[in-house]
Amino acid sequence: MFSRIRLQKKAFPETRYLVIDLEMTGLNPEADSIVSAGCVQIHQGRVQLGSAEHHYFLPSSLMADDVGDSAHIHLITDTQRESQGESLADWLRRLSHELLADAWVFHHATIDMKFLTTYARRLGVSLPKVPVYDTLVLERDKHKDDPLDSQVQLSLNACRARYGLPLYRQHHALSDALATAELFCAQQLS
């Protein structure tokens, strides 16, 4: 479905990364919706704060009608989606044409990529074929001698704490994208 390759430190500053985080109504892309996305670029080894974006997505016939029980996790309301939302299809097209990067970065890429590929297919959008990096996998691989197996040990904030990075509010797409970008930089430089 997507490629995961190991990063060589010497290539890190030259590579343009797009760090993406999605908030969904659940974990099943066949039944659940993408309600929000955050993204930020890393270029020349630095998080480019001026590139940071946050998006709410309008409900559609392809997605669940409302946020349902997931609202207590990500705090996104149906009213926010309806008043501030945009088309998911338009944002997915931007991933392919405007938000170009050499690679994408996620924390727990498997889930986010399943949602992206499922909705891109449903909406007739071709996503770029780029390498995908997963800060969760990079962290787990780094600690093979002292395995990190639990969700608690591999949470974004737990991974950040191992590098002395501050804790951020979780389950906000932009905050999580920025937190993932900082974690990825710390992982590459350690």
Side-chain angles (χ1 to χ4, degrees):
M1 179 188 303
F2 60 90
S3 61
R4 181 172 53 94
I5 60 177
R6 294 197 57 78
L7 190 69
Q8 295 178 356
K9 290 185 183 192
K10 65 180 182 175
F12 176 64
E14 292 84 34
T15 304
R16 294 174 307 141
Y17 301 93
L18 183 64
V19 183
I20 303 168
D21 184 77
L22 304 177
E23 294 301 322
M24 293 86 67
T25 58
L27 299 176
N28 179 356
E30 298 302 325
D32 297 312
S33 306
I34 302 171
V35 295
S36 177
C39 58
V40 65
Q41 296 174 11
I42 299 173
H43 185 61
Q44 296 180 337
R46 294 189 172 122
V47 178
Q48 305 295 312
L49 292 177
S51 71
E53 297 182 6
H54 183 249
H55 305 272
Y56 294 112
F57 300 115
L58 291 166
S60 75
S61 60
L62 293 176
M63 297 196 290
D65 293 329
D66 58 39
V67 295
D69 293 337
S70 69
H72 76 280
I73 295 171
H74 50 62
L75 305 179
I76 297 170
T77 66
D78 294 322
T79 303
Q80 283 175 300
R81 291 179 67 205
E82 292 164 4
S83 65
Q84 301 172 39
E86 62 187 86
S87 161
L88 177 61
D90 290 345
W91 184 75
L92 289 172
R93 283 193 269 293
R94 285 192 64 227
L95 283 179
S96 298
H97 301 293
E98 292 175 38
L99 299 174
L100 296 177
D102 300 319
W104 288 352
V105 179
F106 300 88
H107 188 78
H108 210 294
T110 304
I111 294 171
D112 292 81
M113 284 302 298
K114 283 180 183 176
F115 272 86
L116 287 176
T117 56
T118 297
Y119 278 95
R121 179 181 35 81
R122 287 181 186 174
L123 295 165
V125 176
S126 295
L127 295 176
K129 296 191 183 324
V130 295
V132 171
Y133 295 96
D134 187 335
T135 55
L136 183 149
V137 171
L138 290 169
E139 193 68 8
R140 190 175 56 213
D141 289 351
K142 184 175 182 168
H143 294 276
K144 284 188 178 184
D145 294 336
D146 183 27
L148 302 174
D149 294 326
S150 77
Q151 282 297 99
V152 172
Q153 292 174 311
L154 291 169
S155 72
L156 183 54
N157 273 337
C159 292
R160 289 175 57 81
R162 283 190 280 280
Y163 295 88
L165 297 169
L167 301 181
Y168 286 171
R169 175 185 162 210
Q170 294 182 37
H171 303 295
H172 182 278
L174 180 55
S175 178
D176 285 350
L178 291 168
T180 300
E182 291 174 354
L183 173 60
F184 185 69
C185 288
Q187 288 173 325
Q188 301 317 306
L189 300 174
S190 68

